[in-house]
Amino acid sequence: MDTFIGLMSGTSLDGIDAAVVRFPPGRVELLAARTTPFTRELRSELLALIQATGTDLLDRFGELDHRLGRLFAEAATGVCDQAGLEPGRVAAIGSHGLTVLHRPTGETPFSLQIGDPNLIAERTGITTVADFRRRDLAAGGQGAPLVPAFHAALFTRAEQARAVVNIGGMANLTLLPGSEEAAVTGFDTGPGNVLLDAWIQQQLGQPYDRDGAWAASGSVSEELLAALLADPYFTLPPPKSTGREHFNSTWLQDRLRGFELEPEAVQATLAELTAASIAVAIEREAQGTTELIVCGGGAYNPDLLQRIGARLPAVKLSVSDDYGLAAEWVEAVAFAWLAQKALEGKPGNVPAVTGAAGKRILGGVYPGTTGCGEDSKPE
Ligand SMILES: Nc1ncnc2c1ncn2[C@@H]1O[C@H](COP(=O)(O)OP(=O)(O)OP(=O)(O)O)[C@@H](O)[C@H]1O
Ligand SMILES: CC(=O)N[C@H]1[C@@H]2OC[C@@H](O2)[C@@H](O)[C@@H]1O[C@H](C)C(=O)O
């Protein structure tokens, strides 16, 4: 029972990533991985929930929590089949869920993920670990980002100051100092692909800018870039985390007012914003960085990589694939790894990253059905 499943559904709202994985010492062994895309209808329902107001909100919240719970269970079963693995051989599923609201600061900080883990445990029979963020929040942390502990376990090299950036809907950075004395740090740098996806969707009806080709065809507007970078989030000192509640199409529309630009120039400027916010964060927080390892969907965007590289000429740019783990699976694998930590009774947060009062074991455990004397599953 050394096999784990990680389930991740991120801020891009593109679907569920599922990975079956083992963790031999110092390594990751990926047995199978797949994405279950959300239908257009479900994606727009999720977007509507995330942006919602109104009286039927709680109904919709409960319904989508249930529907996603079922879909996560199917994603886990599907990836198990793909790996040729009996569910009884899986130690646990680590399910991130889908973030509908993340408000990590103020008097009543919280972070809400949906995708009922009870349903996942019931329908797969596999012990499920979920609700990873709220214990860290309870300890005074941001509850995000959580992948830095995994990045540190996988990518730390002695005497090498490395950075790892995950470019999903949002982008988050892990800084690995490469020396025992200095601490691992990290934070969300701001938007990753979310604004690029929103703009091309609005202008051309495409879900994302494949290979960054549209952005590459436009010229960056330095004025617009400066206006976007004037958002106080970019200069806020860490710990900090963000999400779609801040960086979304309304945020962009507000800042585009008064500009008259070709749509592809806006796309180019948004790509430059992602690149600049990552580069500035590294320059400000980790000047000695020699290598930047990119993961998440943004690693497949050559235009974005080129822009990041141009802003950090002294830094070697790699993708996680160069170290044996495909960029698209890093987050799902991280939640499998966090599930293993939880079951071992080991902490999963990095207090220097989230700002929590200390290390905490993350996640609630929803036991599987083995040992219950009942192995029937609902249809
Ligand atoms: N070939 C490609 N060219 C350009 N962009 C791409 C390509 N492949 C993936 N992407 C981008 O990556 C995004 C998906 O990234 P990913 O799956 O890492 O996001 P996520 O897990 O939803 O996000 P988060 O890290 O915020 O939770 C797509 O929406 C798209 O913008
Ligand atoms: C609240 C939430 O879901 N945050 C996501 C989001 O997507 C990227 C960035 O913002 C990061 O903080 C986090 O995800 C990763 C998995 C994390 O916690 O490390």
Side-chain angles (χ1 to χ4, degrees):
M1 294 282 270
D2 53 355
T3 308
F4 290 81
I5 293 178
L7 299 176
M8 177 69 198
S9 192
T11 43
S12 302
L13 298 179
D14 50 355
I16 300 168
D17 294 335
V20 181
V21 68
R22 291 195 186 116
F23 300 104
R27 262 188 335 113
V28 168
E29 194 186 327
L30 190 62
L31 305 183
R34 58 152 68 185
T35 299
T36 308
F38 290 145
T39 60
R40 284 179 69 164
E41 182 231 353
L42 180 56
R43 186 172 191 275
S44 51
E45 283 187 60
L46 289 166
L47 251 184
L49 178 70
I50 289 169
Q51 295 161 355
T53 51
T55 47
D56 66 345
L57 186 58
L58 287 176
D59 252 335
R60 282 195 274 159
F61 180 91
E63 186 196 314
L64 285 168
D65 183 40
H66 182 102
R67 281 169 64 189
L68 277 192
R70 285 184 181 211
L71 270 185
F72 280 121
E74 278 169 28
T77 309
V79 80
C80 246
D81 285 350
Q82 191 178 317
L85 202 67
E86 286 296 318
R89 305 280 306 279
V90 179
I93 294 171
S95 179
H96 171 267
L98 184 135
T99 298
V100 289
L101 201 51
H102 182 65
R103 297 216 190 279
T105 54
E107 281 296 297
T108 54
F110 67 91
S111 187
L112 271 184
Q113 283 74 40
I114 59 169
D116 185 2
N118 293 285
L119 277 168
I120 305 173
E122 183 62 29
R123 291 183 155 251
T124 60
I126 302 170
T127 295
T128 300
V129 187
D131 191 12
F132 285 95
R133 301 196 188 276
R134 292 198 297 170
R135 183 59 189 267
D136 184 85
L137 280 153
Q142 297 263 323
L146 295 180
V147 290
F150 175 68
H151 288 165
L154 197 63
F155 297 119
T156 297
R157 293 291 179 279
E159 313 304 327
Q160 253 194 62
R162 282 177 158 181
V164 185
V165 68
N166 165 53
I167 311 178
M170 299 298 141
N172 60 286
L173 190 65
T174 304
L175 303 171
L176 304 169
S179 82
E180 298 273 322
E181 297 83 60
V184 172
T185 53
F187 50 91
D188 288 356
T189 54
N193 296 300
V194 71
L195 302 173
L196 290 162
D197 289 357
W199 185 247
I200 197 167
Q201 170 72 51
Q202 188 191 319
Q203 297 295 317
L204 304 182
Q206 292 171 20
Y208 67 96
D209 184 6
R210 182 176 286 272
D211 302 335
W214 196 44
S217 75
S219 313
V220 172
S221 156
E222 293 301 333
E223 293 77 17
L224 177 60
L225 182 62
L228 300 177
L229 282 169
D231 186 290
Y233 183 80
F234 296 112
T235 43
L236 201 67
K240 60 177 177 175
S241 59
T242 188
R244 274 180 173 272
E245 43 295 295
H246 185 72
F247 292 108
N248 52 36
S249 21
T250 311
W251 181 90
L252 178 58
Q253 292 302 343
D254 287 349
R255 279 153 190 83
L256 279 176
R257 226 165 275 137
F259 282 95
E260 282 191 21
L261 295 167
E262 297 296 330
E264 60 271 27
V266 174
Q267 189 76 350
T269 309
L270 292 175
E272 203 59 38
L273 173 70
T274 297
S277 50
I278 293 167
V280 166
I282 291 174
E283 278 164 352
R284 190 178 302 139
E285 302 293 332
Q287 270 150 16
T289 300
T290 55
E291 182 173 2
L292 174 64
I293 302 169
V294 185
C295 54
Y300 299 101
N301 182 336
D303 172 68
L304 195 53
L305 293 185
Q306 191 273 327
R307 291 177 194 277
I308 296 169
R311 284 179 173 267
L312 295 168
V315 176
K316 178 186 168 199
L317 212 58
S318 320
V319 287
S320 61
D321 307 58
D322 301 340
Y323 295 96
L325 182 56
E328 62 193 310
W329 307 123
V330 174
E331 279 193 334
V333 171
F335 282 91
W337 185 87
L338 284 167
Q340 185 185 39
K341 292 289 148 212
L343 294 188
E344 288 172 352
K346 291 182 181 161
N349 64 338
V350 179
V353 170
T354 63
K359 291 188 174 185
R360 295 291 185 268
I361 301 165
L362 303 180
V365 180
Y366 298 76
T369 45
T370 46
C372 293
E374 166 64 80
D375 59 5
S376 65
K377 313 253 165 55
E379 283 306 304

